[in-house]
């Protein structure tokens, strides 16, 4: 599997950014350990998802590319598929429900994707993806439960192991587990003793519930500041659940107030605009929920947050 990640790195080189790893003076002073931030908010779409989507799309055969791509994500994965498809001259369709806000629809349209509005729920949008795959032969690009997607996200692990050879702990935002699984595979293959800790929100932590139950379980989706961490892991999950079960050393859960504090710290002490999902590693340190043993990398996974919401949180609005 390390070989898959090394191949992914070669495949996506030049199309995806080797993001900066910067030392946080504020968090290092606070913890007494060197803490570094891996700034995936610096990717061209503002989040790491470009790595997995680009690797998955570049791994397709000519016929699969020609038929066009399809996804139902209106979040960072949808943006990544739309961006990569445009860069590679492939058509992409994003299915979404009528409830998706106009600014999100326009952001995806601006990346050149075709938009298909169907129904009034994410489930109906996903059902439309399956219909288009069946009837038109479009090629689906899954958001996390896919070997090429996980390998693409794992290229972050190669970069942090190379840039900080003595790292001991990695804090990774955790939702469907593509990011955490990819990083864990890469880093543990290169540095067997590094601890990989997943961080989710208390409100609707699907992988945490699955790990506790021993298999994927349905969860109730709840509104959260870490909106990019919402959603299930798929009851038929076959790739990320077993990898997270076998490779994660721990999973921490955060309150909404703790996540807000992470977003605020990122803006005020680090000068970075970070969305809720991207701030959970910082938030876990601020909340004292993780004991650091040595050099630590915090994966700052994305920065796509509504500017008005960001402003309100930094100004101290209650979560
Ligand atoms: C998708 C996403 C995550 C979670 O990634 P998974 O692979 O689903 O665990 C974390 N942060 C941001 C910003 C994301 O877009």
């Amino acid at each position: 599997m390390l070989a898959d990640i090394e191949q992914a790195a070669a495949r996506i080189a030049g199309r995806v950014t080797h993001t900066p790893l910067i030392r946080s003076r504020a968090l290092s002073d606070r913890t007494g350990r060197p803490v570094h931030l891996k700034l995936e908010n610096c990717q061209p779409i503002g989040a790491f998802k470009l790595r997995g989507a680009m690797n998955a799309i570049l791994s397709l055969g000519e016929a699969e590319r020609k038929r066009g791509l399809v996804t139902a994500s209106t979040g960072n994965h949808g943006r990544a598929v739309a961006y990569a498809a445009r860069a590679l001259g492939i058509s992409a369709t994003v299915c979404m429900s009528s409830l998706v806000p106009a600014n999100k629809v326009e952001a995806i349209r601006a990346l050149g994707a075709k938009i298909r509005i169907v129904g009034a729920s994410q489930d109906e949008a996903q059902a439309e993806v399956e219909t288009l795959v069946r009837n038109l032969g479009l090629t689906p690009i899954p958001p996390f439960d896919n070997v090429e997607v996980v390998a693409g996200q794992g290229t972050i692990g190669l970069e942090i192991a190379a840039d900080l050879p003595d790292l001991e702990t990695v804090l990774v935002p955790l939702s469907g587990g593509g990011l955490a699984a990819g990083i864990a595979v890469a880093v543990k293959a290169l540095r067997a003793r590094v601890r990989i800790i997943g961080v989710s929100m208390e409100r609707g932590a699907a992988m945490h519930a699955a790990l506790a139950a021993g298999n994927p379980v349905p969860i109730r989706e709840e509104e959260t500041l870490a909106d990019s961490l919402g959603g299930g892991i798929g009851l038929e999950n076959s790739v990320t659940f077993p990898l997270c079960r076998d490779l994660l050393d721990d999973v921490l859960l955060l309150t909404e107030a703790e996540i807000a504090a992470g977003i605020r710290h990122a803006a005020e002490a680090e000068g970075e605009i970070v969305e809720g999902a991207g701030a959970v590693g910082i938030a876990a340190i601020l909340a004292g929920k993780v004991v650091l043993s040595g050099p630590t990398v915090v994966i700052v996974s994305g920065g796509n947050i509504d500017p008005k919401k960001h402003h309100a949180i930094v100004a101290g609005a209650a979560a």
Side-chain angles (χ1 to χ4, degrees), residues 40-41 45-49 73 75-77 143-145 149-150 153 172-182 199-200 207 226-230 232-233 240 244 274-280 299-304:
E40 288 295 306
N41 53 323
I45 62 143
F48 74 90
K49 290 259 182 10
S73 165
N76 290 328
H77 177 68
F144 52 84
D145 198 33
V149 170
V150 171
Q153 322 305 28
V172 190
L174 176 65
S175 177
L179 177 63
V199 190
S200 301
M207 185 62 81
D227 51 281
S228 294
L229 300 185
I233 68 165
T240 60
C244 287
V274 175
E275 60 175 286
V280 295
I299 308 296
V300 176
S301 53
N304 293 322

Side-chain angles (χ1 to χ4, degrees), residues 67 116 127-138:
R67 291 200 291 265
R116 227 173 148 112
E128 179 71 4
V129 169
E130 281 143 35
T131 304
L132 294 179
V133 170
R134 225 174 20 248
N135 295 350
L136 302 182
L138 299 191

